[in-house]
Amino acid sequence: MKGIILAGGTGSRLHPTTLAVSKQLLPVGDKPMIYYPLSVLMLAGVTDILIISTPHELPRMRRLFGDGAQLGLRLAYAEQEKPRGIAEAFLIGADHVGSDAVALALGDNIFHGSSFQGVLRKEAEELDGCVLFGYPVKDPQRYGVGEANASGRLVSIEEKPVRPRSNRAITGLYFYDNEVVDIARRLRPSARGELEITDINRTYMERGRARLVDLGRGFAWLDTGTPESLLQASQYVSALEERQGIRIACIEEVALRMGFINAQACYELGARLSGSGYGQYVMAIAEECTGRV
């Protein structure tokens, strides 16, 4: 399975801050926002990932991650000159996807849950069509909303419905088989001139090949598109990390625990950041995994 992180857009709801920097590079807790979707793809076992962003921001993304080899990844970069909808990611990334399945993560979504890795690996390995991840919210009118039957098959999907048929918001994480590229190519732009991800999901649903996985109790899903939600996400991450002594979306730790790099490489990555609490944590994790580095 290949991976795509869509980290474009103007971040207009976060202006004036995002007039100077991409929202995906803003800090959430002690790390850039984009660490969170990257860590999710890594937990799913995905190591070949395309980062899509604006021409202005791509050099900064490259400076942050390089080619990904230090994390045991293969990272590539592509431009989205203007935001034309989430589904455009599959047109931009068609060559990257090739003949593989693909996981798409939005660059401003944060996920956390103790059993998340197991859920992701299972869904990636058993993928047959499309898998969406739903999360219960109190205000489903603000989101794309999915409804599933008893077996988990998606039976309805609506964008910001006036009368929602469920309270399951569709999160910014999507798994698709390789047919998604052809489906995206056949899409007609919406009235806003965008290629809508809901249209792709509806196509799979109508074919009986879309599942909705419920991320309920024990999981957290946070969208960081507004100043209020960005602050809430930072508070959540900081409080949990302080209380439990862990780091959420520490990509060096994820790479180590997934077997993408060894403890020595992890320690060296932490040593480069040893002036920060984050770097010291990475070094400690590497030492913990070996007893001695």
Side-chain angles (χ1 to χ4, degrees):
M1 175 178 277
K2 300 289 181 62
I4 296 177
I5 298 176
L6 185 57
T10 61
S12 59
R13 292 182 295 170
L14 288 166
H15 284 172
T17 303
T18 47
L19 292 174
V21 63
S22 164
K23 67 179 177 180
Q24 289 86 7
L25 295 178
L26 294 176
V28 177
D30 60 355
K31 61 193 74 69
M33 186 186 299
I34 197 171
Y35 273 43
Y36 295 86
L38 177 59
S39 71
V40 167
L41 295 183
M42 293 168 68
L43 287 171
V46 179
T47 58
D48 197 343
I49 300 167
L50 177 70
I51 297 175
I52 299 174
S53 190
T54 66
H56 179 70
E57 295 298 338
L58 277 180
R60 294 174 178 173
M61 302 283 184
R62 287 193 178 96
R63 281 199 299 272
L64 182 62
F65 296 125
D67 63 5
Q70 74 279 9
L71 296 167
L73 305 177
R74 291 178 58 189
L75 298 182
Y77 302 86
E79 294 183 359
Q80 185 183 43
E81 185 177 350
K82 295 180 180 179
R84 298 187 182 91
I86 296 172
E88 190 185 32
F90 301 112
L91 304 185
I92 295 171
D95 289 342
H96 169 75
V97 174
S99 59
D100 293 314
V102 59
L104 171 65
L106 301 188
D108 61 357
N109 277 221
I110 294 174
F111 296 86
H112 180 249
S114 59
S115 59
F116 200 28
Q117 178 182 344
V119 172
L120 293 172
R121 294 301 295 268
K122 176 180 181 294
E123 297 302 332
E125 291 169 1
E126 299 178 0
L127 179 64
D128 178 22
C130 159
V131 172
L132 308 178
F133 295 86
Y135 190 80
V137 295
K138 66 179 182 180
D139 49 355
Q141 298 87 349
R142 295 178 49 216
Y143 303 93
V145 175
E147 178 190 13
N149 63 19
S151 64
R153 288 291 172 188
L154 188 69
V155 295
S156 76
I157 185 168
E158 300 175 278
E159 191 67 29
K160 298 181 180 179
V162 176
R163 295 181 178 83
R165 297 178 61 175
S166 89
N167 69 338
R168 263 45 181 182
I170 304 297
T171 68
L173 177 65
Y174 317 85
F175 288 180
Y176 299 103
D177 65 12
N178 188 254
E179 194 174 0
V180 70
V181 175
D182 288 333
I183 293 173
R185 285 177 175 142
R186 294 194 295 268
L187 289 183
R188 293 184 178 181
S190 67
R192 297 182 300 173
E194 297 184 354
L195 299 179
E196 303 288 353
I197 195 72
T198 298
D199 291 338
I200 287 180
N201 297 334
R202 187 173 290 112
T203 298
Y204 277 100
M205 180 188 73
E206 291 170 350
R207 297 176 180 179
R209 302 186 65 229
R211 282 178 21 83
L212 181 65
V213 175
D214 187 22
L215 300 179
R217 290 184 180 272
F219 286 92
W221 169 61
L222 303 164
D223 183 349
T224 55
T226 67
E228 295 78 15
S229 61
L230 179 60
L231 176 60
Q232 290 169 1
S234 290
Q235 291 172 334
Y236 172 86
V237 169
S238 298
L240 198 60
E241 291 184 345
E242 177 65 26
R243 182 176 292 259
Q244 297 187 353
I246 51 91
R247 286 290 193 279
I248 298 172
C250 175
I251 54 178
E252 295 85 358
E253 180 182 7
V254 175
L256 174 61
R257 298 196 185 281
M258 292 295 294
F260 301 160
I261 60 174
N262 60 30
Q264 181 64 42
C266 183
Y267 186 89
E268 291 171 0
L269 290 173
R272 298 177 191 175
L273 309 171
S274 59
S276 68
Y278 182 93
Q280 292 163 18
Y281 173 83
V282 172
M283 295 165 67
I285 287 295
E287 291 177 327
E288 176 187 305
C289 287
T290 60
R292 183 181 63 185
V293 175

